[in-house]
Amino acid sequence: MFESLQDKLAGAFKTLKGKGRITDVNIASTVKEIRRALMDADVNYKVAKEVTDRVKQEALDRDVKIAVEPGQLFTKIVQEELTQLMGGKAQPVNLQGSPAIVLIAGLQGSGKTTFSGKFASYLKKQGKQVMLVAGDIYRPAAITQLQVLGEQIGVDVYAEPENKNAVDITQNALKEAKSKGKNIIIVDTAGRLAVDEVMMKEVENIKKAINPTEVLFVVDSMTGQDAVNTAKTFNERLDFDGVVLTKLDGDARGGAALSVKAVVDKPIKFMSTGEKMEDLDIFHPDRMANRILG
Ligand code: GDP
C-alpha cells in the first residue's frame, strides 16, 4: 500500500531540487503535484486542497526563518501536515467502567468479527478479563466464527443462537459479564453489504440499551472513497468514538487512511494488517505519515 503515492510524492519533491529558497513561484507546481498525488490515492478533492494549501502557506512562512535545504524543509512540512490530517497523536480507547463496554459497528465483510477477536486477544495479553458477545443474529456463521476465534485465543464468547433480539442478547451478556467479574465486553454487531435502515436502527438500539464506553466503527480501507462515505453515515447515526481501518496490508491506495479523520472528525484508533490475530496495531498518525513519505 501507498507505493504509488510514495513515488508520486518523491517525484513532486524532486522539482524543488537545486532551488535556493522556496518562493511563491517555484512552489506552485510542487504543490499541484502533491495535490494530484493525494487525489490519485483516493483522497477527496476538498481534503487534498486543504492540506496542500496549508503545506504551501507553512513552506512560505518558514522559509524566511529557517535556513535549510528547501527540499528537506518541504518534506518535513508535508510530513507534519499529513500527521495532522490523520489526527496528530495516537488516541487511546476508553476502557473505564466495570465492565467497559466496547461496541463494534460497520458493514458486513469490513472485518468486525476479526477485529473483535484481535482486540480481545490484545486486551487479554494485558491481563484483562474479556468477554466477546455475538450480536450478529442474522448469520449463524457469524456466531460460529466468533466462537472459533474465542476458543483460539482463550476468551469467553456469549451467544444466544436461538434468540432473535440483538438488544436482549447484549443486555443479557452484560448481566453475565458483571456476574463473572469481566473487565471488558466487546459486542460484535450485524453488518449489511450496504448501509440499510434496519441495521442502523438495530445498532442504534443496542447503543441506547447498553450505553457503551466506546463505539468503534470498522471500515475496509480497500473501499477507498466509499469507506469515507460509509464512515460519515455511521457517524451521523452512532456518533462513534473511533475508527478501525482494516486490510491495510492490501493494495489500497490509502485515501481512506488519509481522509477519514478530516471528514468525520473522529480519530483512527487501530489498524488491521492481516487475517491473523496478531495483525493489529495502534494507529500512529506520525508513523503512517513517515510510511507514506517512504
Ligand atoms: P465482518 O463481516 O465485518 O465481521 O468481517 P470479517 O471479520 O468476517 O472479515 C471479512 C474477511 O476479511 C475475512 O475473510 C477476514 O479474514 C478478512 N480480514 C479481516 N481483517 C483483515 C485484514 O486486516 N487484512 C486482510 N487481508 N483480511 C482481513
Side-chain angles (χ1 to χ4, degrees):
M1 195 166 112
F2 291 124
E3 285 82 7
S4 141
L5 178 58
Q6 254 171 26
D7 288 349
K8 284 180 187 151
L9 289 175
F13 295 143
K14 270 200 198 114
T15 60
L16 281 176
K17 259 218 156 85
K19 302 277 192 306
R21 64 189 294 266
I22 290 173
T23 66
D24 224 345
V25 178
N26 65 25
I27 208 177
S29 66
T30 311
V31 165
K32 212 164 136 193
E33 278 193 44
I34 293 174
R35 189 175 301 167
R36 194 172 305 138
L38 291 172
M39 284 166 64
D40 286 348
D42 244 348
V43 174
N44 78 37
Y45 173 75
K46 202 165 152 261
V47 174
K49 182 165 184 340
E50 276 168 17
V51 76
T52 46
D53 283 351
R54 278 203 304 272
V55 165
K56 186 175 173 182
Q57 199 50 53
E58 274 294 308
L60 291 171
D61 287 353
R62 278 199 239 175
D63 181 49
V64 206
K65 293 169 224 138
I66 312 167
V68 284
E69 212 265 310
Q72 271 177 29
L73 168 66
F74 200 77
T75 312
K76 186 167 178 289
I77 290 170
V78 174
Q79 197 276 350
E80 287 168 7
E81 290 299 334
L82 290 181
T83 303
Q84 281 313 312
L85 179 68
M86 291 184 284
K89 280 206 301 264
Q91 298 287 331
V93 171
N94 179 3
L95 294 174
Q96 304 286 316
S98 41
I101 304 167
V102 183
L103 183 65
I104 312 293
L107 294 181
Q108 186 178 316
S110 60
K112 285 186 305 300
T113 306
T114 309
F115 169 73
S116 299
K118 287 177 178 180
F119 191 36
S121 172
Y122 166 90
L123 293 167
K124 188 185 172 213
K125 283 188 190 138
Q126 296 179 357
K128 307 278 192 220
Q129 296 286 325
V130 189
M131 178 191 261
L132 282 161
V133 182
D136 185 348
I137 49 173
Y138 305 102
R139 293 190 310 132
I143 301 177
T144 315
Q145 187 188 350
L146 200 64
Q147 282 165 332
V148 169
L149 281 178
E151 189 115 331
Q152 188 188 327
I153 59 177
V155 166
D156 288 351
V157 175
Y158 185 92
E160 292 183 42
E162 304 309 319
N163 191 340
K164 291 293 169 215
N165 184 330
V167 171
D168 200 30
I169 295 170
T170 47
Q171 282 174 323
N172 293 342
L174 185 55
K175 268 184 229 142
E176 170 107 347
K178 278 183 181 155
S179 76
K180 286 188 163 172
K182 299 286 182 191
N183 307 119
I184 298 154
I185 71 167
I186 300 170
V187 182
D188 184 21
T189 60
R192 295 281 200 284
L193 291 174
V195 172
D196 96 19
E197 185 51 33
V198 178
M199 167 187 73
M200 278 297 181
K201 195 84 220 154
E202 180 175 277
V203 70
E204 253 179 2
N205 287 341
I206 295 175
K207 185 183 173 194
K208 266 187 218 143
I210 60 174
N211 193 20
T213 0
E214 182 87 12
V215 180
L216 293 176
F217 167 69
V218 178
V219 68
D220 178 346
S221 59
M222 303 282 283
T223 57
Q225 299 256 356
D226 274 351
V228 178
N229 294 333
T230 313
K232 232 168 138 177
T233 312
F234 271 79
N235 193 42
E236 278 158 16
R237 297 294 291 266
L238 284 180
D239 189 19
F240 55 69
D241 303 292
V243 178
V244 178
L245 273 186
T246 64
K247 310 189 194 182
L248 279 172
D249 51 313
D251 58 359
R253 286 178 288 176
L258 285 161
S259 344
V260 74
K261 163 68 177 62
V263 174
V264 295
D265 199 23
K266 295 287 168 70
I268 302 169
K269 296 197 172 178
F270 290 100
M271 54 190 250
S272 167
T273 53
E275 295 183 81
K276 293 196 294 293
M277 284 297 101
E278 56 276 18
D279 297 331
L280 179 71
D281 287 294
I282 290 172
F283 187 84
H284 291 276
D286 54 342
R287 289 184 204 168
M288 186 53 97
N290 286 338
R291 193 170 136 186
I292 291 167
L293 292 173

